[in-house]
Amino acid sequence: MGSFMVRRIIYAIPALIAVSLISFLVIAIPPGDYVTRLAEMSAAAGDIMPLAEQEAMRRAYGLDLPLMVQYWNWITGVVLRGDFGYSFSFNLPVKDVIWPRLGLTIVLSVASLLFIWVVAIPIGIYSAVRRYSAGDYLATFLGFLGLAIPNFLLALAAMYIAFAWFGVNVGGLFSPQYVEAPWSWERVLDLLAHLWLPMMVLGTAGTASVIRVIRANLLDELHKPYVTAARAKGKGEFALLMKYPVRHALNPFVSGQNDIFVDIVSGGTIVAIVMGLQTTGPLLLDALRTQDMYMASSFILMLSVLVVIGTLLSDLLLAWLDPRIRYQQG
């Protein structure tokens, strides 16, 4: 297992280098830059920005340097000093903009993930074991319904119901008086009071999908010879179910968890915009729209690193879950 991990890490290094270069160039190569965007906004407001001022801003931001020099300065800062560059839009270092929102995004995404696991796995198991029962039909119907309704539409409906029926304004992750307040016990409680609705909205589609995956895979396992043999030896039905078929049925589910960390960073961008959540998704969208190149490149690099980490952890968990994979690795 140790050699497997080392090989995967070694293979990931050139992939990350290539992704960092491509992500930087994709944002930097299109015509114009942040200064061009700023000049266009000024012109739309009736204030023409002189060319000399534009050139001065490019020199100040380092946008007049060759692209490869800009890339080298940025990537060496990330690797050697943890410096992700400077956000033109916020006039702050990128790390000072990203980290506060990343913490909130992690809290929301982990809560949504736990909601999916706690709700979907038991329902998927029940739906497979009690196939064609009333509960199975209900779970199947709810699963299709959850997959069919877009999350942003569900967010709008949930916000309307919460406000119209219960008089609760659940937009954002904080009440207005706690948005910029320092952390305190009251702010934590306010976060928890606002967290439940986006957690359920973001978890609905994932829950529906996991129910279908668990049900389909468990149905394939329940009638295999090893289950019949274990039942013939007198093993209890619940112990048999959990030790063998469920464990094997979780393999495709576990292998599909490599995008968990990407979901943590993206944070359900559309839902976050609709509900006014202070997560990283809207921040990435704004960076792409305004050509805030260091902010956008840092996000894309972070997503790429998390894909590699998520894939590695998913493979390790799958090897632990399935003895056949451990045997093949050995």
Side-chain angles (χ1 to χ4, degrees):
M1 187 67 70
S3 60
F4 170 73
M5 290 181 60
V6 171
R7 288 199 306 270
R8 292 300 300 270
I9 293 173
I10 292 175
Y11 294 157
I13 292 175
L16 290 176
I17 294 174
V19 168
S20 68
L21 178 60
I22 293 172
S23 63
F24 187 87
L25 293 179
V26 163
I27 297 171
I29 284 178
D33 51 27
Y34 176 76
V35 176
T36 304
R37 173 80 174 176
L38 194 62
E40 291 174 352
M41 293 172 61
S42 298
D47 184 14
I48 304 300
M49 182 182 294
L51 292 178
E53 183 179 349
Q54 296 182 35
E55 294 302 322
M57 290 186 65
R58 288 191 176 91
R59 287 193 297 271
Y61 289 139
L63 298 177
D64 60 329
L65 299 173
L67 283 180
M68 294 310 298
V69 175
Q70 294 182 46
Y71 167 76
W72 178 254
N73 292 338
W74 171 69
I75 198 63
T76 52
V78 171
V79 175
L80 300 179
R81 301 184 299 276
D83 180 8
F84 290 87
Y86 194 80
S87 171
F88 307 144
S89 301
F90 289 87
N91 288 323
L92 289 170
V94 170
K95 60 182 180 181
D96 293 344
V97 180
I98 288 180
W99 296 131
R101 291 205 177 201
L102 185 60
L104 294 174
T105 306
I106 291 174
V107 171
L108 175 59
S109 299
V110 170
S112 303
L113 185 65
L114 293 177
F115 173 81
I116 292 172
W117 288 355
V118 169
V119 173
I121 293 178
I123 292 178
I125 294 173
Y126 173 84
S127 184
V129 174
R130 299 286 187 267
R131 182 171 54 165
Y132 303 140
S133 65
D136 179 31
Y137 285 124
L138 178 62
T140 302
F141 172 74
L142 293 178
F144 285 130
L145 195 64
L147 291 173
I149 299 177
N151 278 351
F152 71 89
L153 183 59
L154 185 63
L156 289 172
M159 291 175 67
Y160 173 78
I161 293 172
F163 182 77
W165 293 6
F166 302 103
V168 178
N169 184 7
V170 290
L173 291 175
F174 298 101
S175 299
Q177 65 270 26
Y178 290 108
V179 172
E180 299 295 337
W183 281 104
S184 62
W185 182 243
E186 290 77 13
R187 193 174 192 235
V188 172
L189 293 178
D190 186 70
L191 172 63
L192 295 177
H194 288 77
L195 187 65
W196 63 273
L197 186 59
M199 175 191 73
M200 294 180 63
V201 170
L202 290 173
T204 299
T207 299
S209 177
V210 170
I211 289 174
R212 305 303 302 158
V213 170
I214 297 296
R215 181 184 185 277
N217 289 307
L218 188 53
L219 284 175
D220 288 339
E221 297 291 334
L222 284 176
H223 303 290
K224 288 187 176 179
Y226 73 86
V227 177
T228 304
R231 187 177 288 114
K233 291 181 179 180
K235 195 169 184 66
E237 195 65 26
F238 180 78
L240 182 152
L241 179 68
M242 301 306 296
K243 186 174 182 179
Y244 299 112
V246 169
R247 188 172 181 177
H248 292 163
L250 288 176
N251 286 358
F253 167 72
V254 171
S255 64
Q257 297 304 298
N258 58 338
D259 59 348
I260 288 178
F261 295 107
V262 176
D263 293 338
I264 286 177
V265 174
S266 61
T269 302
I270 299 178
V271 173
I273 294 173
V274 170
M275 302 189 71
L277 305 179
Q278 295 85 5
T279 57
T280 55
L283 209 59
L284 173 58
L285 180 61
D286 288 341
L288 294 172
R289 290 173 56 190
T290 61
Q291 291 185 286
D292 194 347
M293 56 190 299
Y294 295 120
M295 175 79 78
S297 299
S298 298
F299 265 117
I300 296 175
L301 178 63
M302 190 180 299
L303 291 173
S304 304
V305 173
L306 292 176
V307 166
V308 173
I309 295 175
T311 303
L312 177 61
L313 294 180
S314 175
D315 290 345
L316 294 177
L317 183 59
L318 191 61
W320 170 80
L321 187 66
D322 193 336
R324 296 170 296 180
I325 296 178
R326 291 201 300 271
Y327 177 77
Q328 292 173 0
Q329 293 295 328

